[in-house]
Amino acid sequence: MVPATVAAMVRLGADPSRVTARTGPAVCGRCYEVPEAMRSEVTAAVPEAYAVTSWGTPSVDVAAGVRAQLAAAGVTALQQSEVCTLESGDHFSYRRERDTGRLGGYVWLDD
């Protein structure tokens, strides 16, 4: 989704070197346990997403993968939250609560 979003913005006239990307709180690579087959599939496409949980099992670092995709698309300004939603009781986490919640995203183009 990240490369397609940046590509669409470029088609609409955005210069990726002028794009500022901000990512919000997310489960971190130390906590986002996945089956080995899934980690292999993800990291075949985005090697930077490779991670291991703090307890030593296969993991994916989604934020690192997003940063790598943004950089590959020419986006150089990135502001990322350091909050892990699993570790923070102040933030929603399906992995912690096992209940659904709401997430949002937005993209805009300044003149």
Side-chain angles (χ1 to χ4, degrees), residues 6-97:
V6 175
M9 291 172 65
V10 168
R11 280 193 305 275
L12 293 170
D15 174 354
S17 69
R18 294 187 58 221
V19 171
T20 299
R22 293 183 177 100
T23 60
V27 66
C28 72
R30 296 181 313 274
C31 295
Y32 195 16
E33 184 177 38
V34 297
E36 176 59 44
M38 182 183 291
R39 178 176 67 180
S40 294
E41 183 179 346
V42 169
T43 58
V46 186
E48 296 85 352
Y50 182 95
V52 177
T53 63
S54 61
W55 53 95
T57 58
S59 177
V60 172
D61 188 333
V62 175
V66 167
R67 284 192 310 271
Q69 290 178 331
L70 286 164
V75 176
T76 56
L78 175 62
Q79 299 169 3
Q80 180 180 331
S81 171
E82 296 299 319
V83 173
C84 172
T85 54
L86 185 69
E87 297 170 334
S88 171
D90 293 333
H91 295 79
F92 167 76
S93 172
Y94 173 79
R95 288 193 167 248
R96 183 184 62 245
E97 304 296 331

